[in-house]
């Protein structure tokens, strides 16, 4: 699905809160025109209201037969929200759900078995073109549809194709929720810097740049993350002292992240039950 297709046929967002807005910002930055976008949301943000001055349609009476309809309400709201776009299911629209936990079978029940459905899990760095989205389609989403969905999602970052929908719970726990873990790492690293005597702004600037820079290096370097870690660690030095705490198998990062990611994956499975 190219930006040109979207600009020609339109894109609808059912729900445009934090994640829908992050994706929309990414698409606008890549050339999707605001006048090709319709948003159905009872509580639009100020930014969406501003975009209406550039042609974005907010809660229009009709949205026609758009190329894509992104389903971006909370899983618990989906059943109430979907009837607003039910008419589209008869046309050539691709439905792109980003709802955590909500299986494709739910959308087939709500939209009919003919609906072309792609289930995806993006993350909020999509707002700056640095997201990663996993996707999987229903039986009506043939290779061409999946390629089109992939192309659209690559406008806001990287993509991965899932072999099986059940992988979505683990994906959600790693990359969907993952930015929140990293933001919390920034918060707690800055707080620890303050506790060691740094002024708050300086501690936060150091923490943000360290996490951002290390993430970029991990993506760009040919070395693996464990090699990059070893490169920072001098024998008998400061990093080794910290890693003795963080890499402790009893109460360091490994068991902590294992528990956190399991809790998120379990919650994703619960939402789908
Ligand atoms: N926030 C994130 O990082 C991610 C969220 N998701 C998924 O994205 C979806 C949206 O999550 P957020 O953006 O975080 O939530 P949010 O609460 O920020 O956005 C949901 C939006 O839906 C609107 N809404 C509520 N009822 C509606 C209705 N009947 N019709 C149309 N719009 C309605 C709300 O006004 C709100 O703007 C969820 O299903 C979530 O699982 C997926 C990946 C990451
Ligand atoms: O917290 C949530 O349920 C959503 C899904 C992934 C990120 N936010």
């Amino acid at each position: 699905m190219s930006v040109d297709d979207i600009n020609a046929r339109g894109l609808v967002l059912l729900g445009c809160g934090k994640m829908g807005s992050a994706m929309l910002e990414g698409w606008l930055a890549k050339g999707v025109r605001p006048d090709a976008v319709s948003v159905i949301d009872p509580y639009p943000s100020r930014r969406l209201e501003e975009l209406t001055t550039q042609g974005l349609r907010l809660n229009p009476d009709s949205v026609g037969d758009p190329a894509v309809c992104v389903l971006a309400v909370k899983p618990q709201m989906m059943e109430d929200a979907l009837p607003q776009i039910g008419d589209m299911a008869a046309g050539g629209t691709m439905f792109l759900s980003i709802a955590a936990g909500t299986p494709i079978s739910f959308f087939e029940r709500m939209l009919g078995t003919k609906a072309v459905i792609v289930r995806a899990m993006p993350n909020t760095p999509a707002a700056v073109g640095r997201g990663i989205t996993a996707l999987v389609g229903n039986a009506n989403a043939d290779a061409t549809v999946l390629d089109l969905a992939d192309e659209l999602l690559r406008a806001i970052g990287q993509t991965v194709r899932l072999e099986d929908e059940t992988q979505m719970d683990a994906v959600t726990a790693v990359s969907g929720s993952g930015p929140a873990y990293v933001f919390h790492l920034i918060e707690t690293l800055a707080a620890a810097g303050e506790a060691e005597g740094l002024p708050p702004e300086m501690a936060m600037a150091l923490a943000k740049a360290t996490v951002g820079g290390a993430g970029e290096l991990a993506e760009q370097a040919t070395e693996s993350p464990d090699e990059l870690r070893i490169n920072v660690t001098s024998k008998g030095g400061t990093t080794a002292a910290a890693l003795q705490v963080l890499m402790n198998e009893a109460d360091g990062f490994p068991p902590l992240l294992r528990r956190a990611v399991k809790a998120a994956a379990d919650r994703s499975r619960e939402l789908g039950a």
Side-chain angles (χ1 to χ4, degrees), residues 13 15-17 21 39-52 56-59:
L13 280 139
C16 193
S21 297
V39 171
I40 302 169
D41 193 315
Y43 305 106
S45 64
R46 182 169 301 189
R47 166 73 175 149
L48 287 172
E49 278 165 359
E50 275 166 22
L51 283 168
T52 61
L56 180 139
R57 276 163 298 165
L58 211 40
N59 298 313

Side-chain angles (χ1 to χ4, degrees), residues 186 189-191 194 198-213:
I186 294 174
L189 184 56
E194 271 188 66
L198 294 174
E201 288 101 69
M202 186 190 290
M204 183 53 82
L206 291 168
K208 277 189 196 171
T210 301
V211 171

Side-chain angles (χ1 to χ4, degrees), residues 39 73 95 98 127 129 139 208 263 265 268:
V39 171
V73 300
F95 293 93
I98 62 163
K208 277 189 196 171
S268 176

Side-chain angles (χ1 to χ4, degrees), residues 1 9 74 80 83 114 135 149 154 165 170 178 227 246:
M1 185 81 47
R9 292 184 48 210
K74 293 279 187 203
D80 287 342
K114 291 205 175 122
L135 66 149
R154 265 185 279 123
E165 192 184 356
E227 287 175 287
L246 288 177

Side-chain angles (χ1 to χ4, degrees), residues 92-273:
T93 298
M94 175 180 81
F95 293 93
L96 180 67
S97 166
I98 62 163
T102 314
I104 286 173
S105 58
F106 167 85
F107 295 104
E108 289 178 332
R109 267 201 310 282
M110 295 292 294
L111 299 168
T113 49
K114 291 205 175 122
V116 176
I117 299 161
V118 175
R119 180 176 170 193
M121 180 47 58
N123 62 10
T124 54
V128 291
R130 293 289 309 273
I132 184 156
T133 307
L135 66 149
V136 61
N138 74 344
N140 302 328
D142 59 18
T144 313
V145 168
L146 285 178
D147 286 348
L148 294 173
D150 211 312
E151 197 179 331
L152 178 66
L153 292 165
R154 265 185 279 123
I156 51 172
Q158 303 176 50
T159 58
V160 293
R161 302 265 188 110
L162 301 187
E163 288 156 21
D164 193 298
E165 192 184 356
T166 58
Q167 293 173 312
M168 203 54 105
D169 300 308
V171 165
T172 303
V174 172
S175 58
S177 297
Y181 318 156
V182 176
F183 299 136
H184 192 52
L185 172 65
I186 294 174
E187 293 174 272
T188 49
L189 184 56
E194 271 188 66
E196 289 300 324
L198 294 174
E201 288 101 69
M202 186 190 290
M204 183 53 82
L206 291 168
K208 277 189 196 171
T210 301
V211 171
E216 185 70 44
L217 180 60
E219 284 219 298
Q220 283 191 24
T222 51
E223 298 96 325
S224 61
D226 67 308
E227 287 175 287
L228 294 171
R229 167 173 52 75
I230 289 164
N231 290 348
V232 185
T233 313
S234 311
K235 201 157 185 280
T238 60
T239 316
L243 290 180
Q244 241 184 344
V245 177
L246 288 177
M247 293 178 74
N248 189 314
E249 288 292 337
D251 61 1
F253 266 170
L256 189 62
L257 272 179
R258 178 71 192 93
R259 271 178 29 230
V261 168
K262 182 174 185 319
D266 285 348
R267 180 64 186 138
S268 176
R269 289 182 200 106
E270 259 170 36
L271 286 168

